[in-house]
Amino acid sequence: MIFPPLQLDRPAEAARIVVAMSGGVDSSVAALIAAHSGAEVIGVTLQLYDHGEAVKRSGACCAGQDIYDAAQVCEKLGIAHYVLDYESRFREGVIERFADDYARGRTPVPCSLCNQGVKFTDLHGFARELNADALVTGHYVRRVVRDGKAELHKGRDPARDQSYFLYGTTAEQLDLLRFPIGELPKSDVRALAAEAGLIVADKPDSQDICFVPDGDYAGLVKRLRPETEAPGEIVDRGGRVLGQHRGIVHFTVGQRRGLEIGGSAEPLYVVRIEPDTRRLVVGPKQALAVSEARVGSWNWLGEEQAEVEVKVRSLSRPVPALLQDGVIRFRQPEYGVAPGQAAVVYEGERLLGGGWIEETVSADEAGMLAA
């Protein structure tokens, strides 16, 4: 087996590595690569749900089966394994924030919140307490050292790149972090796991948001924020009432399904959600086009630049934009942009930084769309 380098600052035989292990094949192969280096390796799994709830879950990271799988992989590799109880931290920092964003009519990105909180901030602190030389994760991104400074780059496999979710990584964290599978395609990761005899070699990837494995986001939010289930008006951009909805919890910006509005000459989409009045503002597809977005809570790994490429969704392609005073101005009208999402800026393969979208400006109303 040929393994990617770990970029350790001293000989592996004298190094200690902490590996964040979710119980999936990616983090397991990251642990395999670390163990093969000859360093002392410690696997760490975060328990993010109470035991009774975790045992019931499948298809979601950090669930009961996943903790067991991580322990089995560590035993196979001959490395230590610890489970840290972060259930309360995860609920407060990720699940409650997710529900709050929905209640405010925003489009949340919980994976970014999790990485900025328990997965990187807390694990980074844990690794430092153990005097670790590196904190290894199974993310599909690359750490590139240039002129003595660590940079965060997209994963080598564009279909698996996870850099969008890691924009909140700090320079201090990146000094310790290592991402060995970021150089590999998924097929090679699974092949390495199979060759090493790891029980997770054929384990399916987790689907949907980890704490909503059944995909019923509305059900979770209704339990935590029951006020979001209250009905309200559906209005056009001029304020004319077109119908009634069954609760803002069932809708996000850009959604068409479930509006149940008759008599319109063209399909209507949710353009804006007004939680204080419980109103859904709808319009034609062109009303979803955005000319600019005001972004807050910026985190920078690289230098701030004026001419950038921006991603506003994890699976979208970066698009050219002008960045000035925290405002992103798209060169062309951009669809699928909503408050609550992360705006992540790049220079080619390098991630420069990102922040949370607080407000958008309609390209239609700004006169950016052709008549």
Side-chain angles (χ1 to χ4, degrees), residues 41-324:
V41 179
I42 301 170
V44 178
T45 302
L46 305 180
Q47 180 178 311
L48 303 181
Y49 315 98
D50 63 60
H51 178 72
E53 185 71 13
V55 169
K56 303 174 189 175
R57 295 176 182 266
S58 62
C61 72
C62 307
Q65 181 63 45
D66 298 308
I67 294 173
Y68 172 81
D69 289 344
Q72 291 295 106
V73 168
C74 287
E75 183 176 349
K76 175 74 173 179
L77 297 177
I79 64 176
H81 180 244
Y82 295 94
V83 179
L84 304 182
D85 183 0
Y86 277 36
E87 190 268 339
S88 60
R89 291 271 289 135
F90 184 73
R91 172 168 290 276
E92 293 169 7
V94 179
I95 299 178
E96 296 286 345
R97 170 74 178 271
F98 176 84
D100 284 340
D101 278 350
Y102 251 95
R104 295 168 58 197
R106 295 163 66 87
T107 304
V109 188
C111 292
S112 293
L113 284 175
C114 185
N115 287 323
Q116 291 176 31
V118 296
K119 283 203 176 163
F120 276 10
T121 302
D122 293 344
L123 270 180
H124 178 269
F126 178 78
R128 285 296 190 198
E129 288 178 4
L130 292 181
N131 294 317
D133 295 271
L135 171 60
V136 167
T137 82
H139 288 97
Y140 287 88
V141 293
R142 291 178 295 138
R143 178 182 181 271
V144 175
V145 179
R146 185 180 301 170
D147 297 328
K149 181 180 178 181
E151 300 174 349
L152 189 62
H153 287 228
K154 297 176 184 176
R156 189 73 69 186
D157 183 350
R160 291 287 173 175
D161 170 50
Q162 293 175 302
S163 60
Y164 175 83
F165 298 112
L166 302 186
Y167 83 85
T169 305
T170 66
E172 181 186 7
Q173 292 166 354
L174 193 56
D175 282 342
L176 190 66
L177 284 162
R178 302 293 188 273
F179 311 102
I181 71 166
E183 297 285 348
L184 305 174
K186 184 76 173 196
S187 57
D188 284 4
V189 170
R190 289 201 181 277
L192 287 173
E195 190 174 348
L198 303 185
I199 64 170
V200 296
D202 296 320
K203 185 175 181 178
D205 293 334
S206 58
Q207 301 295 322
D208 295 308
I209 297 172
C210 71
F211 54 89
V212 196
D214 59 1
D216 184 12
Y217 309 146
L220 171 72
V221 177
K222 284 190 291 186
R223 290 195 301 272
L224 296 176
R225 302 292 182 269
E227 68 275 12
T228 61
E229 201 174 5
E233 295 177 336
I234 302 174
V235 303
D236 63 18
R237 289 183 291 172
R240 182 168 61 96
V241 178
L242 303 178
Q244 298 285 317
H245 66 79
R246 56 194 179 96
I248 63 172
V249 67
H250 299 286
F251 300 92
T252 55
V253 171
Q255 184 172 327
R256 178 185 175 189
R257 179 178 52 83
L259 287 173
E260 300 176 358
I261 302 172
S264 175
E266 57 184 332
L268 296 176
Y269 301 80
V270 177
V271 175
R272 188 170 66 253
I273 299 174
E274 299 177 349
D276 292 341
T277 59
R278 303 199 305 274
R279 296 203 310 178
L280 295 181
V281 180
V282 299
K285 187 174 182 179
Q286 70 176 27
L288 293 172
V290 167
S291 63
E292 62 183 62
R294 181 175 62 82
V295 179
S297 302
W298 282 94
N299 178 70
W300 290 100
L301 276 171
E303 65 280 2
E304 187 172 345
Q305 300 181 17
E307 297 284 346
V308 295
E309 293 182 307
V310 182
K311 286 181 70 168
V312 295
R313 298 176 308 282
S314 63
L315 298 179
S316 66
R317 290 180 178 274
V319 297
L322 180 67
L323 174 60
Q324 186 175 26

